[in-house]
Amino acid sequence: SVAIDARRALANILVAEEKWEEAAVLLQGIRFEQSQRTYTAQEMFGVHVSAMELFLAAGLPEQAAQLQSRAAALFGQVADAGEVSRYRFVQARINDLSLRYIEAAAIYHTVAQSCLKDETRQKEMLERAIRCAVLASAGPQKMRVMSGLHHEKLAAALPCYGLLENMVLKRLVKPAELQQFSEQLESHQRSLRADGMTTLLDHAVREHNVFVLSSLYTNIRFGNLGRMLGVDADAAELLCARMIEEGRMKGRIDQVDGLITFEGAHEVKEVSAAIFLKSQAAAQPPPMHFREVVAARWDGRIVDLCTAVEDAVDLLIERHPTY
């Protein structure tokens, strides 16, 4: 116990001198199982979390992550809400700095919900959660996390909320909104992807815009899709191919004609065909109920309207690609 107390005292001195890594290494080296004194689960948990915090302060999230298993083993025995919230924040921060944004967003949101009495802290956590949620790869999990954040009343007052709302409501994100949001990111969140040209935010927004367009079009040529996304046709095709391959979007790519058919969009045509067959069979008994007739006619009008809108948009893109 003397050795442990000495390590903790020396670590405090190093922290005062802002020698984060050296202090973290000292705490990391503590072996409670070798001590003659019995330490409570909360005492041991607090030391492990402190070491994780110091590694993060030193810019070493990998080393902090290595200590998670020690803290996690004691987590269930810790009753102090403050210590639990502290650990959750460290977890979120490790995921954030390691670019695992969907995990980071979910945990930041959990921390925000645990500090309802501290509005300033809650807003900070919500802001962190929103930034990470936006940067995460597109998909159902991202939409679930963003939807939860969208319903937070305090979040609506944050500067970063606008882009989140557009994503949740499946609106196209415009370049001006993208630029405004990028100014609020931390330095590691502005890093480039493996291609050395695209930022994580650019990529996340392009994936989102593909999702939005997939709900508007039955199919679209990659040249037109690329112009909407601000990339060339090859890049648009590669983006769609990866999203389909990873199971984050459903569609079929026709490389010969250079277009993609979005699954779900072609169901409009299937509904139209079904309505047509139903109307052909209407002359044969048994007759449809009045409500079924009204519903079928209403469905037919919706299909006609969607088809007309798609044709108009395609014509607009062909004649005025800049729009």
Side-chain angles (χ1 to χ4, degrees), residues 21-40:
E21 185 179 358
E22 293 179 41
V25 171
L26 273 175
L27 295 181
Q28 183 184 31
I30 291 177
R31 295 293 180 265
F32 291 104
E33 66 276 6
Q34 297 176 1
S35 173
Q36 295 179 352
R37 175 191 159 189
T38 301
Y39 288 86
T40 66

Side-chain angles (χ1 to χ4, degrees), residues 1-27:
S1 61
V2 175
I4 291 176
D5 292 341
R7 278 179 173 269
R8 294 173 70 176
L10 182 55
N12 288 333
I13 294 173
L14 292 171
V15 168
E17 297 175 356
E18 298 187 358
K19 296 179 180 178
W20 317 119
E21 185 179 358
E22 293 179 41
V25 171
L26 273 175
L27 295 181

